[in-house]
Amino acid sequence: MQPTRHNMLKIGITGGIGSGKTLVCQIFAQLGVPVYNADDAAKQLVQNNAQLQAEITEAFGSDAFINGQYNRGYIASIVFSDPERLNQLNAIIHPYVFADWQAFVDQHQAFPYVIKEAAIMLETDSRFTVDKIVLVYAPLALRLARLQNRDGFNLDDTLKRIANQMSEEDKLKLCHYVIHNDGEQALIEQIMDLHAQFIALSKHSNTI
Ligand code: ATP
């Protein structure tokens, strides 16, 4: 028997650090679209899910939590310089976020589409948890200029993170849609255009 196909679409929104994906998602949210932030959800789960905490402690040792609080600095010091360890951490957290996202999707079946926002999506199996992926794209110099106004901005750390991530050129090849947040092409117009396309697509989702 074929599984029942819902009309609701799942849209992924991703982009490099400072590309503007949070701003873009805020605008979609203003249009009434339910937005799930995978990075925030991961933080919540790491802080509150005892089973996940046990798995992280098993892999990274008892320093991973201090009095029940996630020791972000300690974990960051391990994973940021070691892609293997970062993969290991992501592999532990991912199934929990996946289940949480699934629950969010189930709760919002009445909507034409929902959005999952995640910094890392095209690089991992996370891309299979959505139907279509939008890349928010901005030139590196502009991203760095925008981020400079943010509290705790550190140029070296940011460049290191960017070097660890897939290049924007490769992401452009893998995504289905691009929002150019380059200060030249009007952002709201691009978002309104995609909004209309997604609503139309959800009405014909048997064909995607
Ligand atoms: P991160 O992955 O680091 O959280 P992000 O991709 O979510 O970044 P935002 O937080 O949305 O990016 O944007 C980075 C900064 O740039 C924010 O301060 C945001 O207000 C600003 N910004 C984004 N897009 C624009 C724009 N089109 N015009 C002016 N400022 C912008």
Side-chain angles (χ1 to χ4, degrees):
M1 195 169 73
Q2 290 289 316
T4 314
R5 174 123 204 158
H6 286 286
N7 280 335
M8 195 205 63
L9 270 182
K10 291 168 274 177
I11 302 294
I13 295 194
T14 190
I17 303 165
S19 59
K21 60 191 170 305
T22 300
L23 178 66
V24 164
C25 286
Q26 281 166 356
I27 299 170
F28 275 108
Q30 286 294 315
L31 295 171
V33 182
V35 176
Y36 178 88
N37 184 316
D39 304 322
D40 286 352
K43 282 182 195 149
Q44 281 291 326
L45 289 162
V46 163
Q47 203 49 61
N48 298 313
N49 187 306
Q51 204 183 328
L52 172 57
Q53 291 178 346
E55 284 192 43
I56 293 174
T57 303
E58 197 182 321
F60 290 89
S62 55
D63 286 343
F65 291 88
I66 299 172
N67 298 327
Q69 288 292 311
Y70 186 53
N71 191 350
R72 194 167 297 283
Y74 167 74
I75 297 288
S77 71
I78 297 173
V79 301
F80 280 141
S81 51
D82 188 342
E84 293 267 311
R85 297 289 270 166
L86 181 59
N87 285 342
Q88 185 188 13
L89 180 66
N90 285 335
I92 294 170
I93 297 174
H94 183 253
Y96 290 86
V97 178
F98 179 82
D100 195 50
W101 161 242
Q102 207 49 55
F104 182 89
V105 168
D106 291 346
Q107 277 161 21
H108 294 92
Q109 285 294 331
F111 288 80
Y113 72 100
V114 294
I115 285 174
K116 181 185 200 182
E117 174 189 353
I120 306 291
M121 181 174 290
L122 291 161
E123 295 87 333
T124 69
D125 285 355
S126 179
R127 69 186 185 279
F128 302 123
T129 65
V130 292
D131 300 308
K132 300 282 179 191
I133 300 184
V134 181
L135 177 70
V136 181
Y137 180 82
L140 181 60
L142 190 54
R143 288 159 63 194
L144 294 175
R146 285 173 180 157
L147 288 172
Q148 251 149 33
N149 303 319
R150 196 184 267 182
D151 279 351
F153 174 76
N154 179 308
L155 183 61
D156 283 349
D157 279 357
T158 304
L159 290 174
K160 214 182 265 179
R161 276 187 199 214
I162 289 172
N164 267 338
Q165 292 177 359
M166 184 188 281
S167 76
E168 298 302 291
E169 285 61 39
D170 285 345
K171 288 183 194 168
L172 279 171
K173 286 183 208 145
L174 293 174
C175 69
H176 303 100
Y177 304 90
V178 183
I179 292 177
H180 294 272
N181 186 20
D182 53 10
E184 286 174 21
Q185 300 173 64
L187 194 55
I188 310 259
E189 259 171 44
Q190 296 178 71
I191 291 171
M192 295 304 291
D193 182 44
L194 281 180
H195 183 59
Q197 285 191 53
F198 295 151
I199 288 173
L201 207 52
S202 76
K203 291 183 182 144
H204 304 103
S205 68
N206 290 339
T207 58
I208 60 167

PDB file of all heavy atoms in Angstrom, residues 15-24 117 119 146-147 149-150 181-183 187, ligand 1:
ATOM      1  N   GLY A  15      22.287  28.426   4.599  1.00  0.00           N
ATOM      2  CA  GLY A  15      23.189  29.484   4.137  1.00  0.00           C
ATOM      3  C   GLY A  15      24.357  29.582   5.093  1.00  0.00           C
ATOM      4  O   GLY A  15      24.257  29.144   6.246  1.00  0.00           O
ATOM      5  N   GLY A  16      25.439  30.127   4.630  1.00  0.00           N
ATOM      6  CA  GLY A  16      26.634  30.246   5.466  1.00  0.00           C
ATOM      7  C   GLY A  16      26.432  31.232   6.603  1.00  0.00           C
ATOM      8  O   GLY A  16      25.423  31.940   6.660  1.00  0.00           O
ATOM      9  N   ILE A  17      27.396  31.251   7.511  1.00  0.00           N
ATOM     10  CA  ILE A  17      27.362  32.183   8.646  1.00  0.00           C
ATOM     11  C   ILE A  17      27.199  33.609   8.115  1.00  0.00           C
ATOM     12  O   ILE A  17      27.938  34.031   7.234  1.00  0.00           O
ATOM     13  CB  ILE A  17      28.689  32.117   9.444  1.00  0.00           C
ATOM     14  CG1 ILE A  17      28.967  30.704   9.928  1.00  0.00           C
ATOM     15  CG2 ILE A  17      28.670  33.092  10.614  1.00  0.00           C
ATOM     16  CD1 ILE A  17      30.415  30.521  10.393  1.00  0.00           C
ATOM     17  N   GLY A  18      26.208  34.314   8.655  1.00  0.00           N
ATOM     18  CA  GLY A  18      26.023  35.717   8.289  1.00  0.00           C
ATOM     19  C   GLY A  18      25.398  35.933   6.917  1.00  0.00           C
ATOM     20  O   GLY A  18      25.344  37.064   6.440  1.00  0.00           O
ATOM     21  N   SER A  19      24.892  34.862   6.294  1.00  0.00           N
ATOM     22  CA  SER A  19      24.286  35.022   4.962  1.00  0.00           C
ATOM     23  C   SER A  19      22.937  35.737   5.048  1.00  0.00           C
ATOM     24  O   SER A  19      22.478  36.322   4.072  1.00  0.00           O
ATOM     25  CB  SER A  19      24.096  33.654   4.297  1.00  0.00           C
ATOM     26  OG  SER A  19      23.273  32.839   5.109  1.00  0.00           O
ATOM     27  N   GLY A  20      22.308  35.647   6.237  1.00  0.00           N
ATOM     28  CA  GLY A  20      21.017  36.308   6.424  1.00  0.00           C
ATOM     29  C   GLY A  20      19.857  35.336   6.505  1.00  0.00           C
ATOM     30  O   GLY A  20      18.705  35.726   6.378  1.00  0.00           O
ATOM     31  N   LYS A  21      20.138  34.027   6.757  1.00  0.00           N
ATOM     32  CA  LYS A  21      19.032  33.057   6.750  1.00  0.00           C
ATOM     33  C   LYS A  21      18.047  33.309   7.887  1.00  0.00           C
ATOM     34  O   LYS A  21      16.846  33.113   7.702  1.00  0.00           O
ATOM     35  CB  LYS A  21      19.532  31.612   6.748  1.00  0.00           C
ATOM     36  CG  LYS A  21      20.380  31.226   7.909  1.00  0.00           C
ATOM     37  CD  LYS A  21      21.033  29.885   7.679  1.00  0.00           C
ATOM     38  CE  LYS A  21      22.080  29.640   8.753  1.00  0.00           C
ATOM     39  NZ  LYS A  21      23.099  30.706   8.868  1.00  0.00           N
ATOM     40  N   THR A  22      18.545  33.780   9.039  1.00  0.00           N
ATOM     41  CA  THR A  22      17.622  34.058  10.149  1.00  0.00           C
ATOM     42  C   THR A  22      16.688  35.213   9.786  1.00  0.00           C
ATOM     43  O   THR A  22      15.479  35.145  10.023  1.00  0.00           O
ATOM     44  CB  THR A  22      18.411  34.368  11.437  1.00  0.00           C
ATOM     45  OG1 THR A  22      19.207  33.223  11.740  1.00  0.00           O
ATOM     46  CG2 THR A  22      17.487  34.662  12.609  1.00  0.00           C
ATOM     47  N   LEU A  23      17.253  36.244   9.174  1.00  0.00           N
ATOM     48  CA  LEU A  23      16.431  37.375   8.727  1.00  0.00           C
ATOM     49  C   LEU A  23      15.378  36.904   7.714  1.00  0.00           C
ATOM     50  O   LEU A  23      14.196  37.245   7.820  1.00  0.00           O
ATOM     51  CB  LEU A  23      17.334  38.452   8.111  1.00  0.00           C
ATOM     52  CG  LEU A  23      16.625  39.682   7.563  1.00  0.00           C
ATOM     53  CD1 LEU A  23      15.976  40.476   8.691  1.00  0.00           C
ATOM     54  CD2 LEU A  23      17.615  40.578   6.796  1.00  0.00           C
ATOM     55  N   VAL A  24      15.808  36.094   6.760  1.00  0.00           N
ATOM     56  CA  VAL A  24      14.890  35.578   5.738  1.00  0.00           C
ATOM     57  C   VAL A  24      13.770  34.763   6.401  1.00  0.00           C
ATOM     58  O   VAL A  24      12.585  34.932   6.081  1.00  0.00           O
ATOM     59  CB  VAL A  24      15.673  34.714   4.707  1.00  0.00           C
ATOM     60  CG1 VAL A  24      14.740  33.851   3.868  1.00  0.00           C
ATOM     61  CG2 VAL A  24      16.532  35.615   3.816  1.00  0.00           C
ATOM     62  N   GLU A 117      14.947  25.738   9.201  1.00  0.00           N
ATOM     63  CA  GLU A 117      16.156  26.564   9.057  1.00  0.00           C
ATOM     64  C   GLU A 117      17.331  25.830   9.693  1.00  0.00           C
ATOM     65  O   GLU A 117      17.246  25.396  10.839  1.00  0.00           O
ATOM     66  CB  GLU A 117      15.944  27.913   9.769  1.00  0.00           C
ATOM     67  CG  GLU A 117      17.210  28.772   9.795  1.00  0.00           C
ATOM     68  CD  GLU A 117      17.095  30.015  10.691  1.00  0.00           C
ATOM     69  OE1 GLU A 117      16.003  30.315  11.202  1.00  0.00           O
ATOM     70  OE2 GLU A 117      18.145  30.662  10.873  1.00  0.00           O
ATOM     71  N   ALA A 119      21.907  25.798   9.563  1.00  0.00           N
ATOM     72  CA  ALA A 119      23.160  26.288   8.982  1.00  0.00           C
ATOM     73  C   ALA A 119      23.788  25.205   8.099  1.00  0.00           C
ATOM     74  O   ALA A 119      24.363  25.483   7.052  1.00  0.00           O
ATOM     75  CB  ALA A 119      24.126  26.705  10.084  1.00  0.00           C
ATOM     76  N   ARG A 146      28.565  42.382   7.861  1.00  0.00           N
ATOM     77  CA  ARG A 146      27.331  42.340   8.657  1.00  0.00           C
ATOM     78  C   ARG A 146      27.593  41.738  10.033  1.00  0.00           C
ATOM     79  O   ARG A 146      27.046  42.200  11.037  1.00  0.00           O
ATOM     80  CB  ARG A 146      26.264  41.527   7.927  1.00  0.00           C
ATOM     81  CG  ARG A 146      25.647  42.276   6.753  1.00  0.00           C
ATOM     82  CD  ARG A 146      24.723  41.360   5.975  1.00  0.00           C
ATOM     83  NE  ARG A 146      24.118  42.043   4.833  1.00  0.00           N
ATOM     84  CZ  ARG A 146      23.638  41.427   3.765  1.00  0.00           C
ATOM     85  NH1 ARG A 146      23.696  40.104   3.695  1.00  0.00           N
ATOM     86  NH2 ARG A 146      23.099  42.105   2.783  1.00  0.00           N
ATOM     87  N   LEU A 147      28.431  40.700  10.062  1.00  0.00           N
ATOM     88  CA  LEU A 147      28.685  40.011  11.330  1.00  0.00           C
ATOM     89  C   LEU A 147      29.505  40.851  12.301  1.00  0.00           C
ATOM     90  O   LEU A 147      29.437  40.650  13.511  1.00  0.00           O
ATOM     91  CB  LEU A 147      29.424  38.686  11.065  1.00  0.00           C
ATOM     92  CG  LEU A 147      28.578  37.583  10.425  1.00  0.00           C
ATOM     93  CD1 LEU A 147      29.457  36.414  10.027  1.00  0.00           C
ATOM     94  CD2 LEU A 147      27.487  37.119  11.384  1.00  0.00           C
ATOM     95  N   ASN A 149      29.091  43.618  13.405  1.00  0.00           N
ATOM     96  CA  ASN A 149      28.270  44.356  14.387  1.00  0.00           C
ATOM     97  C   ASN A 149      27.722  43.453  15.474  1.00  0.00           C
ATOM     98  O   ASN A 149      27.072  43.926  16.404  1.00  0.00           O
ATOM     99  CB  ASN A 149      27.088  45.033  13.674  1.00  0.00           C
ATOM    100  CG  ASN A 149      27.557  45.947  12.576  1.00  0.00           C
ATOM    101  OD1 ASN A 149      28.544  46.663  12.755  1.00  0.00           O
ATOM    102  ND2 ASN A 149      26.889  45.928  11.445  1.00  0.00           N
ATOM    103  N   ARG A 150      27.974  42.149  15.340  1.00  0.00           N
ATOM    104  CA  ARG A 150      27.373  41.206  16.287  1.00  0.00           C
ATOM    105  C   ARG A 150      28.262  41.062  17.521  1.00  0.00           C
ATOM    106  O   ARG A 150      29.482  41.061  17.416  1.00  0.00           O
ATOM    107  CB  ARG A 150      27.225  39.859  15.586  1.00  0.00           C
ATOM    108  CG  ARG A 150      26.303  38.922  16.291  1.00  0.00           C
ATOM    109  CD  ARG A 150      26.301  37.592  15.584  1.00  0.00           C
ATOM    110  NE  ARG A 150      25.257  37.475  14.589  1.00  0.00           N
ATOM    111  CZ  ARG A 150      25.065  36.365  13.882  1.00  0.00           C
ATOM    112  NH1 ARG A 150      25.838  35.336  14.029  1.00  0.00           N
ATOM    113  NH2 ARG A 150      24.088  36.319  12.995  1.00  0.00           N
ATOM    114  N   ASN A 181      20.931  37.608  -1.043  1.00  0.00           N
ATOM    115  CA  ASN A 181      20.874  38.654  -0.006  1.00  0.00           C
ATOM    116  C   ASN A 181      22.150  39.481  -0.109  1.00  0.00           C
ATOM    117  O   ASN A 181      22.956  39.540   0.804  1.00  0.00           O
ATOM    118  CB  ASN A 181      20.741  38.004   1.378  1.00  0.00           C
ATOM    119  CG  ASN A 181      20.529  39.040   2.462  1.00  0.00           C
ATOM    120  OD1 ASN A 181      20.129  40.173   2.189  1.00  0.00           O
ATOM    121  ND2 ASN A 181      20.814  38.657   3.703  1.00  0.00           N
ATOM    122  N   ASP A 182      22.300  40.110  -1.281  1.00  0.00           N
ATOM    123  CA  ASP A 182      23.556  40.798  -1.584  1.00  0.00           C
ATOM    124  C   ASP A 182      23.423  42.316  -1.510  1.00  0.00           C
ATOM    125  O   ASP A 182      24.315  43.052  -1.922  1.00  0.00           O
ATOM    126  CB  ASP A 182      24.057  40.386  -2.971  1.00  0.00           C
ATOM    127  CG  ASP A 182      22.991  40.585  -4.052  1.00  0.00           C
ATOM    128  OD1 ASP A 182      21.943  41.212  -3.750  1.00  0.00           O
ATOM    129  OD2 ASP A 182      23.190  40.104  -5.174  1.00  0.00           O
ATOM    130  N   GLY A 183      22.283  42.776  -0.982  1.00  0.00           N
ATOM    131  CA  GLY A 183      22.094  44.223  -0.859  1.00  0.00           C
ATOM    132  C   GLY A 183      21.722  44.877  -2.175  1.00  0.00           C
ATOM    133  O   GLY A 183      21.496  46.083  -2.229  1.00  0.00           O
ATOM    134  N   LEU A 187      15.156  41.839  -1.277  1.00  0.00           N
ATOM    135  CA  LEU A 187      14.965  40.624  -0.492  1.00  0.00           C
ATOM    136  C   LEU A 187      13.480  40.240  -0.392  1.00  0.00           C
ATOM    137  O   LEU A 187      13.098  39.096  -0.622  1.00  0.00           O
ATOM    138  CB  LEU A 187      15.560  40.859   0.903  1.00  0.00           C
ATOM    139  CG  LEU A 187      15.786  39.662   1.800  1.00  0.00           C
ATOM    140  CD1 LEU A 187      16.644  38.617   1.122  1.00  0.00           C
ATOM    141  CD2 LEU A 187      16.427  40.117   3.102  1.00  0.00           C
TER     142      LEU A 187
HETATM  143  P1  ATP B   1      24.285  32.824  11.475  1.00  0.00           P
HETATM  144  O1  ATP B   1      24.364  31.536  10.749  1.00  0.00           O
HETATM  145  O2  ATP B   1      25.612  33.315  11.894  1.00  0.00           O
HETATM  146  O3  ATP B   1      23.278  32.863  12.585  1.00  0.00           O
HETATM  147  P2  ATP B   1      22.490  34.033   9.560  1.00  0.00           P
HETATM  148  O4  ATP B   1      22.728  33.459   8.224  1.00  0.00           O
HETATM  149  O5  ATP B   1      21.309  33.564  10.324  1.00  0.00           O
HETATM  150  O6  ATP B   1      23.802  33.942  10.409  1.00  0.00           O
HETATM  151  P3  ATP B   1      21.506  36.686  10.052  1.00  0.00           P
HETATM  152  O7  ATP B   1      21.668  36.592  11.522  1.00  0.00           O
HETATM  153  O8  ATP B   1      20.131  36.655   9.496  1.00  0.00           O
HETATM  154  O9  ATP B   1      22.412  35.588   9.323  1.00  0.00           O
HETATM  155  O10 ATP B   1      22.235  37.977   9.458  1.00  0.00           O
HETATM  156  C1  ATP B   1      23.532  38.361   9.910  1.00  0.00           C
HETATM  157  C2  ATP B   1      23.519  39.841  10.245  1.00  0.00           C
HETATM  158  O11 ATP B   1      23.379  40.592   9.046  1.00  0.00           O
HETATM  159  C3  ATP B   1      22.363  40.234  11.149  1.00  0.00           C
HETATM  160  O12 ATP B   1      22.791  41.267  12.007  1.00  0.00           O
HETATM  161  C4  ATP B   1      21.323  40.757  10.143  1.00  0.00           C
HETATM  162  O13 ATP B   1      20.456  41.694  10.735  1.00  0.00           O
HETATM  163  C5  ATP B   1      22.203  41.407   9.098  1.00  0.00           C
HETATM  164  N1  ATP B   1      21.601  41.351   7.766  1.00  0.00           N
HETATM  165  C6  ATP B   1      21.238  40.243   7.090  1.00  0.00           C
HETATM  166  N2  ATP B   1      20.721  40.543   5.889  1.00  0.00           N
HETATM  167  C7  ATP B   1      20.724  41.888   5.794  1.00  0.00           C
HETATM  168  C8  ATP B   1      20.319  42.831   4.799  1.00  0.00           C
HETATM  169  N3  ATP B   1      19.769  42.438   3.629  1.00  0.00           N
HETATM  170  N4  ATP B   1      20.494  44.135   5.047  1.00  0.00           N
HETATM  171  C9  ATP B   1      21.042  44.532   6.210  1.00  0.00           C
HETATM  172  N5  ATP B   1      21.466  43.725   7.197  1.00  0.00           N
HETATM  173  C10 ATP B   1      21.299  42.408   7.004  1.00  0.00           C
END
